[in-house]
Amino acid sequence: MTDEFTTNVYYDEDADSTEIEDKTVAVIGYGSQGHAHALNLDDSGVDVVVGLYEGSSSRSAAEADGLEVTTPRAAAEDADIVSILVPDTVQPSVYEQIRPALEPGDTLQFAHGFNIHYGQIEPSEEFDVTMIAPKSPGHLVRRNYENGEGTPGLLAIYQDASGNAKEEALAYAKGIGCTRAGVVETSFREETETDLFGEQAVLCGGVTSLVKQGYETLVDAGYSPEMAYFECLNELKLIVDLMYEGGLGEMWDSVSDTAEYGGLSRGDMVVDEGVRENMEETLEAVQDGTFAREWINENQANRPSYKQLRQAEKDHEIEAIGEELRALFAWGEE
Ligand code: NAD
Ligand code: MG
């Protein structure tokens, strides 16, 4: 494994489709990513077989989409590339099922590095182990492809037994449309650790805590829950859309001077050094495997804390207020 954090970007012209033309790809799982990879590869002329356990509710969907469906084990038997696209928590047990079907030179292909990076799947040295991870939910990976557009993605090589792992992974990325938009080279370690940190500290965890604490601060000070909801949750979308389009600068340019001065002068007071230290601790728990161990144990114990945390979030007052307000106002409908 390499520790180098590289920034190579690959496009269509860097990928050679003939690398997977004569190969069979087994797509294991037909959920968000699985259906998009399978259909895009199929449309790109690649031989695809979908692997799903007997009785899986996804079976009828894959069959209705005109794909060949069999068990994970049988799909892996036929395949040169096995793309593991079941939920991360079930990948180790699915891997145990397909392992006897893998031959030297076969490729294990992932869309996220968790199980490889934290040693939950330990593939034989005779396999190529690669990652093509679209930076988007599967329905967009599919929709973009159908519209002739691409979805940005990440490429990482964990094991290159064949000497050809990167070329093949790039061809796979082309087959699902990622090289149309650009594929950034990374490592399993970097993808896994930045993904977990981002979702914990900023995207999913950080932002929801910021929203709830802002909401509670206003409501505790006697302001109406409706106003607190608008100010601390609803308007967040407008701000994020501007940052997405043109970075922080476009957002600052679009708000009033009062908002800009207030935000610039107060932002670091709210999200201060203490928050930064908490972020560093969060990152350390990702890097040293503490979080991964906790999550694996949580799943083995049937998710007791997860269920409690989920329920507490559902029970937060902001959720009830939001439901009322969203029913009153017809925003956000496409
Ligand atoms: P998903 O939850 O949408 O996949 C569900 C699929 O897995 C279904 O076809 C189901 O039949 C199958 N499945 C569910 N439980 C199973 C079990 N116990 N045994 C066998 N099969 C089972 O998963 P996803 O979100 O597409 O994630 C797949 C991979 O892609 C993961 O590694 C994930 O981290 C990665 N990824 C997801 C996204 C995303 O936006 N969803 C983005 C990038 C990468
Ligand atoms: Mg095989």
Side-chain angles (χ1 to χ4, degrees):
M1 192 182 76
T2 166
D3 260 353
E4 277 180 2
F5 296 158
T6 51
T7 50
N8 293 330
V9 185
Y10 299 99
Y11 299 96
D12 273 351
E13 61 268 25
D14 304 309
D16 177 2
S17 300
T18 62
E19 290 285 347
I20 58 168
E21 245 166 28
D22 304 328
K23 293 177 180 165
T24 298
V25 178
V27 174
I28 312 298
Y30 203 70
S32 176
Q33 292 295 323
H35 96 282
H37 291 220
L39 291 173
N40 291 3
L41 287 167
D42 186 58
D43 286 351
S44 295
V46 179
D47 194 7
V48 173
V49 52
V50 175
L52 291 168
Y53 61 87
E54 315 265 2
S56 160
S57 59
S58 303
R59 278 202 160 210
S60 52
E63 278 161 4
D65 289 338
L67 297 167
E68 184 190 339
V69 183
T70 181
T71 62
R73 169 76 189 260
E77 205 82 63
D78 290 346
D80 309 288
I81 300 169
V82 182
S83 199
I84 310 282
L85 298 173
V86 294
D88 296 297
T89 47
V90 307
Q91 287 182 10
S93 74
V94 169
Y95 178 68
E96 288 310 311
Q97 291 168 42
I98 64 167
R99 186 161 63 167
L102 299 171
E103 292 154 23
D106 281 354
T107 299
L108 278 173
Q109 151 63 34
F110 292 88
H112 178 41
F114 188 98
N115 287 298
I116 291 291
H117 180 58
Y118 293 115
Q120 299 306 293
I121 293 176
E122 293 178 313
S124 145
E125 288 172 6
E126 296 167 311
F127 309 147
D128 286 359
V129 181
T130 62
M131 171 168 29
I132 295 296
K135 292 308 282 175
S136 216
H139 72 275
L140 277 180
V141 176
R142 179 59 184 157
R143 192 198 299 164
N144 290 342
Y145 181 92
E146 288 184 296
N147 292 340
E149 292 156 17
T151 306
L154 303 175
L155 168 145
I157 308 299
Y158 181 75
Q159 270 179 201
D160 184 7
S162 68
N164 197 42
K166 187 164 167 180
E167 290 73 12
E168 190 188 76
L170 279 169
Y172 183 102
K174 191 174 189 174
I176 64 171
C178 283
T179 48
R180 292 177 185 169
V183 170
V184 179
E185 186 163 7
T186 180
S187 63
F188 272 65
R189 177 190 161 199
E190 186 182 39
E191 184 274 337
T192 304
E193 293 178 355
T194 56
D195 185 74
L196 292 175
F197 174 78
E199 67 202 16
Q200 291 173 16
V202 181
L203 304 176
C204 307
V207 87
T208 49
S209 286
L210 193 67
V211 164
K212 284 182 287 185
Q213 300 225 23
Y215 173 90
E216 287 167 16
T217 302
L218 285 178
V219 172
D220 288 353
Y223 298 98
S224 75
E226 290 78 6
M227 288 299 289
Y229 178 85
F230 279 118
E231 286 304 327
C232 298
L233 190 150
N234 184 62
E235 282 192 37
L236 187 59
K237 174 174 169 36
L238 313 174
I239 296 301
V240 169
D241 282 351
L242 292 166
M243 294 198 293
Y244 183 82
E245 278 167 31
L248 303 181
E250 181 158 327
M251 187 278 289
W252 291 127
D253 284 349
S254 307
V255 300
S256 70
D257 286 358
T258 311
E260 186 177 8
Y261 174 73
L264 288 170
S265 64
R266 297 303 193 274
D268 286 351
M269 285 167 52
V270 173
V271 181
D272 64 0
E273 272 305 304
V275 173
R276 174 60 171 265
E277 282 163 24
N278 295 338
M279 284 193 178
E280 284 166 5
E281 272 179 36
T282 302
L283 180 59
E284 273 167 35
V286 165
Q287 289 172 329
D288 69 16
T290 305
F291 173 77
R293 256 191 319 279
E294 179 184 318
W295 178 224
I296 291 159
N297 291 339
E298 182 66 20
N299 279 286
Q300 281 167 358
N302 203 21
R303 305 183 158 187
S305 307
Y306 185 24
K307 286 174 187 163
Q308 270 179 12
L309 290 164
R310 251 189 185 167
Q311 193 57 47
E313 187 79 346
K314 277 196 186 122
D315 292 343
H316 194 285
E317 178 188 291
I318 198 170
E319 290 290 83
I321 295 297
E323 211 176 316
E324 275 171 36
L325 289 175
R326 289 192 302 270
L328 287 176
F329 298 90
W331 70 71
E333 283 167 18
E334 284 182 36

